[in-house]
Amino acid sequence: MLRSKFLWQLYTTLGAVVMVSIVVFGTLTLAQLQIDTRLNIEQSLTNQAAILRHYLHPYLEAGDQITQAELVSLVEGGGARVTVIDAEGVVIADNRQEPGVMDNHRERPEVLQATSEGFGVSERFSTTIGENMLYVALRVQSDQAYIGFIRVAIPLADLEAQHAVIRNRLMFSASVIVAVFLGIGFLAARRISRPLAQITEGASLIAAGHYDHRLPKRSDDEIGRLSSTLNELARQTEERIEDLMSSRNQLAAILSGLTEGVIAVDPNQKILHMNESAGRMLQLQSNVAIRSPLGDVVRVNEVRQAVDTCLSELISVNATVKVRDSTLDVLVAVLRNSDWESAAGAIVVIEDITEMLRLEQVRSDFVANASHELKTPISAIRGFVETILDDEQMPDDIAKKFIGRIRSQSARLDTIVNDLIHLSRFDNYALKMELATLDLGVLLRQIHQSKTEDASDADLSFHSAICDTAVEVNGEIKALEQMVVNLVDNAFKYTPAGGVVTLRLYTLGQMGVVEVEDNGIGIPEDERQRIFERFYRVDRGRSRKQGGTGLGLSIVKHIVQSHHGSVDLVSEVDKGSTFRVSIPLMVAEARNRV
């Protein structure tokens, strides 16, 4: 019984209510008591000041000096500090301090308030006695003019002591009340939760297949009616469970293997069945949607309209709909009754064609970009050839210049075709690569040595920072060489003369990391996501001038992916870029295979 979650939930809720009530009541009560105590003390000080004003009025009116001994004798037995102040703010007498050493009190807050209102109160630190004090001042008036002030004060420590006594008593009372109520609440919660625990245990047995189990009916309240309802449910379930399980298993076996989404509805558009694929595509929960109206569950208007049309006109309807970032092809087919004159329901078949459309768009963009890139050198070659053929008297030096341009454009055309061949090769993941164990350090040193002369021709400094330990990976040497060369060439192209390009190699965990860093033009933030697209260039004019095709980084990405690695970019405009390639080491590769 003590393990019942409902018991502790009910008891916790009751305890929380009691605690919150006590805390709120105690807080408000304590606050009010503190306010009342403060007002009572202020009133007490005011009364003392009024009494003193009656006795000291003649002295102030006659201008006689009041000695400290006289004042102490007058307020003997009281714990308050009394100060007598004349109309100019000069302290005449004080029962705690010699008046001669005290400052003028004309600007004290309580004195200023008493000057204008006849009564003043303030709470502040007293520099004279070094304590926080509560001051009450009364104006002493003679005829139409005031002749001085009587000020009474007590340390705030006394007030806090009274507050502490009240607070401690209130907390003790609250603790007793909480303990009593929690004890009573536990007994009440246990009385309520005990029959519910029995019902829960019985329902669990019924759910587990013990349909002959019956719950005792102890009362005629809601809990008793719940027991009767569960008993009736168990009886009916025992009669129907075999037919339902058989039908369900057959339907589940048919639909579970389908990747397409399937929804079955009756003539009233109530959902009879929906597989997981349909719920996932429409972003629904299939177990919640069963036996619910289609219009209440599916929020896609095109799907609801297609079902309406199908059931009203008894025809099949096809539609293409967008659900957030997915594109779905929806086919709604009518299910006819045996008389073929009315609908017994409809079947909705949903297919996610997002990836297919994306691939079609990629293919279309690739064809368009490739055609554009190929058209430029072909048009240039054709133009030069036609010029040479049409002008039979063209000087040899001009004809030689045109032939040189033809050769240059032919070389560019050859570069584009070779890059396309490489890209197609690495784009095919099913292609078997010639993998072997190789040391990236040896490969990068060879590349650095071969590219140093190219860097010198471009007036660039080409440095290397390659770790001394072996960095062995499982890869294709030609592909990895092309990957690094493409990154280095890309850095050379976009780094102005006098710049620095650095080639690094190090290990990070189970990954070998290759970095190519430059201090060139950098890449704007809005273009970094597209930098690995085919034929995309940050500076098109500069890239074409230096023979770039826009395929180098796309080839790099595909090579990295084919080696189960990743490529990252860190760049800042006018400060440079760093391309970082991470490839699993041989140890990691072997561990993954195990």
Side-chain angles (χ1 to χ4, degrees):
M1 182 61 191
L2 294 179
R3 296 181 180 180
S4 172
K5 292 184 178 179
F6 180 75
L7 168 63
W8 293 111
Q9 289 174 353
L10 184 60
Y11 180 62
T12 302
T13 303
L14 179 61
V17 171
V18 171
M19 293 295 294
V20 171
S21 301
I22 292 297
V23 169
V24 173
F25 175 77
T27 302
L28 296 177
T29 303
L30 179 61
Q32 187 61 45
L33 288 175
Q34 290 178 343
I35 293 173
D36 293 342
T37 304
R38 172 67 175 264
L39 293 176
N40 290 336
I41 291 177
E42 290 182 6
Q43 185 62 44
S44 176
L45 295 177
T46 303
N47 293 336
Q48 294 181 44
I51 295 172
L52 291 172
R53 180 175 60 181
H54 174 72
Y55 284 104
L56 297 176
H57 184 276
Y59 288 92
L60 291 172
E61 187 173 26
D64 295 339
Q65 185 70 27
I66 307 171
T67 66
Q68 185 179 23
E70 292 175 336
L71 184 60
V72 170
S73 176
L74 185 62
V75 298
E76 186 176 1
R81 178 188 177 189
V82 178
T83 306
V84 183
I85 308 168
D86 66 10
E88 301 300 327
V90 177
V91 177
I92 299 174
D94 189 279
N95 66 336
R96 299 290 179 85
Q97 189 73 23
E98 288 292 337
V101 299
M102 299 178 66
D103 297 334
N104 188 289
H105 283 37
R106 187 70 182 84
E107 299 299 325
R108 295 295 193 271
E110 65 276 6
V111 175
L112 290 175
Q113 186 180 359
T115 302
S116 60
E117 302 177 10
F119 171 81
V121 179
S122 72
E123 179 183 315
R124 57 186 174 79
F125 181 79
S126 173
T127 58
T128 303
I129 63 176
E131 288 188 73
N132 287 317
M133 305 288 288
L134 175 63
Y135 295 94
V136 174
L138 288 182
R139 185 176 63 194
V140 181
Q141 193 155 340
S142 178
D143 295 333
Q144 299 299 323
Y146 64 90
I147 58 177
F149 304 90
I150 303 297
R151 189 183 70 175
V152 183
I154 65 168
L156 286 177
D158 295 344
L159 180 61
E160 290 296 331
Q162 295 187 35
H163 287 173
V165 171
I166 296 173
R167 184 166 53 250
N168 291 337
R169 290 179 179 176
L170 189 62
M171 290 179 63
F172 176 76
S173 301
S175 300
V176 173
I177 294 173
V178 167
V180 171
F181 272 93
L182 289 180
I184 297 174
F186 180 79
L187 297 177
R190 189 174 64 173
R191 181 180 179 184
I192 295 173
S193 62
R194 180 178 296 173
L196 291 178
Q198 294 176 348
I199 292 176
T200 302
E201 183 179 358
S204 300
L205 291 173
I206 294 173
H210 300 281
Y211 302 112
D212 57 344
H213 180 76
R214 296 295 180 264
L215 299 172
K217 183 178 179 182
R218 300 180 181 275
S219 61
D220 293 330
D221 56 8
E222 287 78 1
I223 296 179
R225 291 196 293 270
L226 178 59
S227 298
S228 300
T229 302
L230 288 175
N231 290 336
E232 181 65 17
L233 176 63
R235 186 186 65 80
Q236 294 180 5
T237 303
E238 188 175 9
E239 297 175 355
R240 301 177 183 177
I241 193 65
E242 291 186 3
D243 293 339
L244 292 176
M245 290 298 296
S246 177
S247 300
R248 179 183 176 184
N249 291 338
Q250 291 177 5
L251 184 60
I254 295 173
L255 298 178
S256 61
L258 295 178
T259 58
E260 294 83 0
V262 178
I263 302 176
V265 298
D266 64 10
N268 297 321
Q269 296 192 22
K270 286 189 177 181
I271 297 177
L272 302 177
H273 183 83
M274 181 171 68
N275 64 358
E276 293 183 1
S277 297
R280 182 179 64 254
M281 293 178 188
L282 297 177
Q283 299 179 353
L284 306 173
Q285 294 182 355
S286 57
N287 59 338
V288 175
I290 298 302
R291 302 194 181 279
S292 300
L294 182 70
D296 294 344
V297 175
V298 178
R299 300 300 181 184
V300 183
N301 291 329
E302 293 86 346
V303 175
R304 291 186 292 182
Q305 292 173 0
V307 174
D308 288 338
T309 303
C310 175
L311 292 177
S312 61
E313 301 183 12
L314 302 181
I315 59 174
S316 297
V317 180
N318 189 271
T320 301
V321 301
K322 291 282 293 183
V323 178
R324 294 189 180 178
D325 297 330
S326 300
T327 302
L328 308 177
D329 182 65
V330 180
L331 174 63
V332 185
V334 63
L335 296 178
R336 298 177 181 269
N337 286 317
S338 58
D339 57 4
W340 288 85
E341 298 295 332
S342 60
I347 293 292
V348 183
V349 180
I350 307 172
E351 182 180 4
D352 191 342
I353 59 174
T354 306
E355 183 65 16
M356 182 182 69
L357 294 178
R358 188 190 70 82
L359 293 176
E360 290 181 357
Q361 183 63 41
V362 169
R363 188 181 300 110
S364 177
D365 293 342
F366 177 74
V367 171
N369 290 330
S371 300
H372 177 76
E373 294 293 334
L374 292 172
K375 181 179 179 181
T376 301
I378 291 174
S379 298
I381 293 172
R382 179 179 178 181
F384 292 141
V385 171
E386 290 178 350
T387 302
I388 295 174
L389 292 176
D390 292 342
D391 189 358
E392 296 180 356
Q393 298 180 355
M394 179 181 294
D396 292 341
D397 56 339
I398 296 178
K400 186 176 181 180
K401 181 179 180 181
F402 279 9
I403 292 173
R405 292 185 178 181
I406 292 173
R407 183 176 63 180
S408 175
Q409 293 298 327
S410 299
R412 172 172 172 76
L413 185 61
D414 181 66
T415 301
I416 294 175
V417 172
N418 286 333
D419 283 349
L420 289 174
I421 292 173
H422 288 304
L423 188 61
S424 176
R425 176 174 179 265
F426 293 113
D427 205 11
N428 184 5
Y429 291 100
L431 182 65
K432 184 173 179 62
M433 301 180 64
E434 299 177 0
L435 300 178
T437 301
L438 59 95
D439 186 354
L440 286 179
V442 175
L443 176 62
L444 264 63
R445 290 186 184 93
Q446 294 174 353
I447 295 174
H448 178 263
Q449 183 177 2
S450 65
K451 284 294 181 179
T452 300
E453 185 175 349
D454 294 343
S456 178
D457 294 341
D459 193 18
L460 298 173
S461 297
F462 188 27
H463 302 309
S464 66
I466 301 173
C467 62
D468 296 331
T469 58
V471 182
E472 295 184 342
V473 298
N474 189 34
E476 186 179 76
I477 185 168
K478 292 183 179 180
L480 294 176
E481 180 182 7
Q482 183 178 7
M483 175 193 74
V484 179
V485 169
N486 283 3
L487 291 175
V488 172
D489 288 343
N490 189 70
F492 287 174
K493 291 176 185 177
Y494 294 99
T495 302
V500 178
V501 177
T502 304
L503 177 63
R504 297 189 185 92
L505 174 64
Y506 58 91
T507 59
L508 183 62
Q510 298 297 327
M511 305 295 286
V513 181
V514 179
E515 284 187 359
V516 178
E517 179 183 2
D518 64 69
N519 60 351
I521 63 175
I523 301 171
E525 185 175 358
D526 57 347
E527 298 190 39
R528 293 173 195 168
Q529 297 297 326
R530 303 187 59 193
I531 195 66
F532 294 101
E533 293 182 9
R534 303 170 184 181
F535 297 107
Y536 188 81
R537 304 182 183 92
V538 176
D539 187 342
R540 294 183 179 273
R542 181 186 185 97
S543 179
R544 283 200 177 97
K545 182 178 179 181
Q546 300 192 12
T549 64
L551 294 172
L553 290 180
S554 182
I555 293 174
V556 168
K557 178 181 178 180
H558 283 72
I559 293 176
V560 172
Q561 290 178 342
S562 65
H563 286 77
H564 309 290
S566 62
V567 56
D568 301 311
L569 168 63
V570 178
S571 182
E572 189 172 351
V573 177
D574 297 330
K575 291 189 178 181
S577 305
T578 300
F579 286 87
R580 183 180 297 108
V581 174
S582 301
I583 298 177
L585 297 174
M586 274 297 297
V587 176
E589 285 287 325
R591 185 176 299 168
N592 290 336
R593 285 197 298 271
V594 174

